[in-house]
């Protein structure tokens, strides 16, 4: 025997739940002074908003079954029309809210406007449609007082249950929406504790005082907690009040303890209770909206403060940048101009002055290149690609081979990771500055054997590139300032102080960082940390 398709099996389960609730509603209706609860009406609204209009046949079948449970054996045309009341209520709720009001994505409780729209279109108007059916029931006989009482009964039943379950249980956004997801209440432990105490208080209240005289206390309690904790607590408390006040008294084990059995059928009590339920939920929704707005404002304020701090820092860096650029550009030019004038006075020494002019030009060229690197590192669009580290290190070193002392340096290239995924320009800029510093700041005495080690490896998904040297090192008091713009770490520094700052900015754009360890007189080690990119 073949297994039933999954969707058919679920349909049978949903149908069985509806029929069970229809039978229970019929049994509850025979209890003296009971509220005329019809639970399948609630479930019909839940089903159609969870699973869509494809669930309508299940709801319609339940309408026919309900009539049979109530003793109907013949189904003339009028009776067949009356069996459609559950389906009509559910379809009206779905059409008005999700179709006419264009709320395709079912999110009725995200703010106060959506909540009010759902109450009107998804509950109030569909209940009015049901009242047309109720008016034609044989036992009502067109009595508008009874019709009004049934309307309030339906509202008190549907409003707390439907809103609570639709808020905390929602369909998954998949093609066949037969699976539900549960949203865990975002309620603090203190709120749960207070909610437990108020439930105990309501139970004691139900035992000591008749509901028809003191019903308003429940509403006041719900409104107070809505003001204190917001929407989620309000709708949970409304369900608790509904169960304590309207369901619990209907059972023999509970009714014997209570002063009054169940809720009375006073119109004023139902009107007041339905109003208090609505008001408490509305107050809770408004309070939650205000709390959410306050949180958003605080987040925006924090972001604005952070942006202002970053902007202030950038402005300070820009001021220093403009000052230093003007100084570092003008100093070589003034030196060149002075040397040209001296060479005119002492033409026999021209070759000496030309060498000095060449050094000044090289300094100027190097500085301009650093400024261009700074601009490119901050403005270019990041483009990730596969980069061979060995090739890029060789290219960088070939540019430095004419620097003083380069031929004496021993390079140890240890690449456990040979290829990384990153932006070629930013990696080149960072490595260029790290290798340049390692070459420039070697010790200047004869016995020293300079070495530079480049080690690339991977740790916990991070790509690391370490550049170490045995050069001068950096004094401890300077190390915290080393990555600041235009900071020079040694007295012998001939650079602009931009190199490490540019390297830090370049790696920062890639979501990484540069760490450093150094001991004065023993050398330095700089490590680039890059997040792994697939």
């Amino acid at each position: 025997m073949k297994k039933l398709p999954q969707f058919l099996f679920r349909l049978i389960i949903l149908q069985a739940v509806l029929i069970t609730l229809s039978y229970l509603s019929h049994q509850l209706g025979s209890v003296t002074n009971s509220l005329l609860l019809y639970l399948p009406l609630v479930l019909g609204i839940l089903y159609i908003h969870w699973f869509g209009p494809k669930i309508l046949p299940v709801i319609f079948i339940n309408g026919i079954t309900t009539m049979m449970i109530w003793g109907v054996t013949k189904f003339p045309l009028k009776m067949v029309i009356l069996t459609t009341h559950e389906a009509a209520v559910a379809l009206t709720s779905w059409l008005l809210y999700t179709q006419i009001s264009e709320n395709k994505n079912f999110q009725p409780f995200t703010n106060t406007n959506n909540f009010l729209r759902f109450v009107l279109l998804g509950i109030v108007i569909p209940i009015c449609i049901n009242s047309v059916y109720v008016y034609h029931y044989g036992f009502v006989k067109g009595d508008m007082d009874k019709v009004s009482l049934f309307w309030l009964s339906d509202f008190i039943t549907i409003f707390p249950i439907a809103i609570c379950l639709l808020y905390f249980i929602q369909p998954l956004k998949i093609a066949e929406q037969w699976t539900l997801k549960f949203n865990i209440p975002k309620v603090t432990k203190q709120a749960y504790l207070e909610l437990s105490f108020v439930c105990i208080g309501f139970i004691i209240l139900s035992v000591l005082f008749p509901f028809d005289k003191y019903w308003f206390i429940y509403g006041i309690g719900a409104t107070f907690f809505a003001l204190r904790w917001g929407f989620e607590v309000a709708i949970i408390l409304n369900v608790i009040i509904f169960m304590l006040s309207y369901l619990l008294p209907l059972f023999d084990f509970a009714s014997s303890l209570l002063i009054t059995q169940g809720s009375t059928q006073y119109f004023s009590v139902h009107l007041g209770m339905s109003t208090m339920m609505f008001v408490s939920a509305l107050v809770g929704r408004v309070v939650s909206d205000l709390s959410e707005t306050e949180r958003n404002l605080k987040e925006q304020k924090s972001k604005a403060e952070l942006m202002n701090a970053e902007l202030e820092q950038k402005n300070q860096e820009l001021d220093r940048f403009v000052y230093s650029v003007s100084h570092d550009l003008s100093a070589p030019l003034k030196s060149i101009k002075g040397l040209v004038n001296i060479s005119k006075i002492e033409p026999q020494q021209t070759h000496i002055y030309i060498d000095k002019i060449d050094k000044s030009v090289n300094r100027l060229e190097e500085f301009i290149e650093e400024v261009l690197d700074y601009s490119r590192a901050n403005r270019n669009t990041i483009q990730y690609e596969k980069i061979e580290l060995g090739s890029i290190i060789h290219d960088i070193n070939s540019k430095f081979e004419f620097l003083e002392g380069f031929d004496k340096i021993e390079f140890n290239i240890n690449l456990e990771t040979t290829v990384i995924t990153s932006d070629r320009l930013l990696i080149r800029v960072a490595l260029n500055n790290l290798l340049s510093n390692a070459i420039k700041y070697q010790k200047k005495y004869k016995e020293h054997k300079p070495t530079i080690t480049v080690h690339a490896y991977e740790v916990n998904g991070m790509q690391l590139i370490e550049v170490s040297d045995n050069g001068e090192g950096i004094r401890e008091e300077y190390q915290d300032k080393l990555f600041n713009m235009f900071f020079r770490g040694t007295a012998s520094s001939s650079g602009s102080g931009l190199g490490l700052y540019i390297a830090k900015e370049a790696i920062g754009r890639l979501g990484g960082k540069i760490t450093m360890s150094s001991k004065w007189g023993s050398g330095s080690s700089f490590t680039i940390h890059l997040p792994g990119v697939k």
Side-chain angles (χ1 to χ4, degrees), residues 85 99-100 249 334 353 399 450 515:
H85 76 111
Q99 302 300 308
I100 295 177
K334 289 178 181 178
Y353 299 133
K399 188 179 70 171
T515 58

Side-chain angles (χ1 to χ4, degrees), residues 127 131 134 140 143-155 267 270-271:
I127 292 176
S131 295
V134 171
V140 174
D143 187 340
M144 289 305 298
D145 288 340
K146 288 186 177 180
V147 171
S148 300
L149 186 61
F150 269 85
W151 191 98
L152 291 172
S153 300
D154 290 336
F155 183 84
F267 180 87
H270 300 330
L271 178 62

Side-chain angles (χ1 to χ4, degrees), residues 385-390 415-421 458 463:
E385 59 180 294
K386 299 290 184 181
I387 302 171
E388 291 187 4
L389 286 176
L415 303 180
E416 296 177 25
T417 301
T418 58
V419 178
I420 64 170
T421 301
E458 188 172 319
Q463 301 171 132

Side-chain angles (χ1 to χ4, degrees), residues 97-272:
Y97 188 77
T98 63
Q99 302 300 308
I100 295 177
S101 67
E102 298 183 351
N103 287 280
K104 304 294 191 233
N105 295 325
F106 186 71
Q107 295 179 329
F109 312 118
T110 53
N111 56 54
T112 302
N113 286 336
N114 281 343
F115 168 71
L116 291 174
R117 189 181 293 115
F118 179 76
V119 172
L120 176 63
L121 302 178
I123 296 179
V124 172
I125 294 178
I127 292 176
C128 292
I129 298 295
N130 189 61
S131 295
V132 176
Y133 285 89
V134 171
Y135 181 84
H136 291 90
Y137 286 164
F139 59 88
V140 174
K141 298 178 181 179
D143 187 340
M144 289 305 298
D145 288 340
K146 288 186 177 180
V147 171
S148 300
L149 186 61
F150 269 85
W151 191 98
L152 291 172
S153 300
D154 290 336
F155 183 84
I156 290 174
T157 307
I158 294 172
F159 180 80
I161 298 175
I163 287 179
C164 185
L165 293 181
L166 288 174
Y167 182 84
F168 291 117
I169 306 175
Q170 295 177 1
L172 290 173
K173 302 299 180 183
I174 52 178
E176 291 293 329
Q177 293 184 359
W178 293 100
T179 305
L180 301 174
K181 64 176 181 179
F182 294 84
N183 297 324
I184 300 174
K186 303 179 184 67
V187 180
T188 64
K189 290 182 179 180
Q190 184 178 353
Y192 276 123
L193 183 62
E194 292 186 15
L195 198 58
S196 301
F197 280 119
V198 79
C199 290
I200 294 172
F202 282 165
I203 293 173
I204 295 172
L205 186 67
S206 300
V207 172
L208 298 179
F209 301 101
F211 177 78
D212 60 325
K213 293 182 180 180
Y214 297 99
W215 57 268
F216 57 87
I217 297 178
Y218 298 86
I220 293 173
T223 305
F224 172 79
F225 275 87
L227 280 169
R228 180 162 170 76
W229 295 110
F231 186 65
E232 291 191 347
V233 169
I235 59 177
I236 292 173
L237 197 53
N238 273 339
V239 171
I240 292 171
I241 291 172
F242 172 78
M243 294 177 66
L244 290 177
S245 305
Y246 296 108
L247 286 183
L248 190 62
L250 302 179
F251 299 95
D252 291 336
F253 75 90
S255 60
S256 61
L257 300 175
L258 306 179
I259 291 179
T260 56
Q261 291 187 357
S263 59
T264 65
Q265 296 199 16
Y266 294 148
F267 180 87
S268 59
V269 173
H270 300 330
L271 178 62

Side-chain angles (χ1 to χ4, degrees), residues 389-401 403 406 411 424-425 427-436 439:
L389 286 176
S391 175
I392 200 170
I393 292 169
H394 179 268
D395 290 345
I396 291 171
N397 280 344
S398 65
K399 188 179 70 171
F400 297 137
E401 61 185 4
L403 289 178
F406 180 85
F411 284 90
R424 182 177 296 274
L425 172 65
I427 291 297
R428 175 182 285 274
V429 166
L431 284 175
N432 181 80
N433 284 290
L434 295 182
L435 287 169
S436 173
I439 293 168

Side-chain angles (χ1 to χ4, degrees), residues 1-13:
M1 185 176 179
K2 293 183 179 180
K3 291 184 178 180
L4 288 173
Q6 189 178 33
F7 80 94
L8 184 58
F9 175 75
R10 290 179 178 177
L11 278 177
I12 293 173
I13 295 296

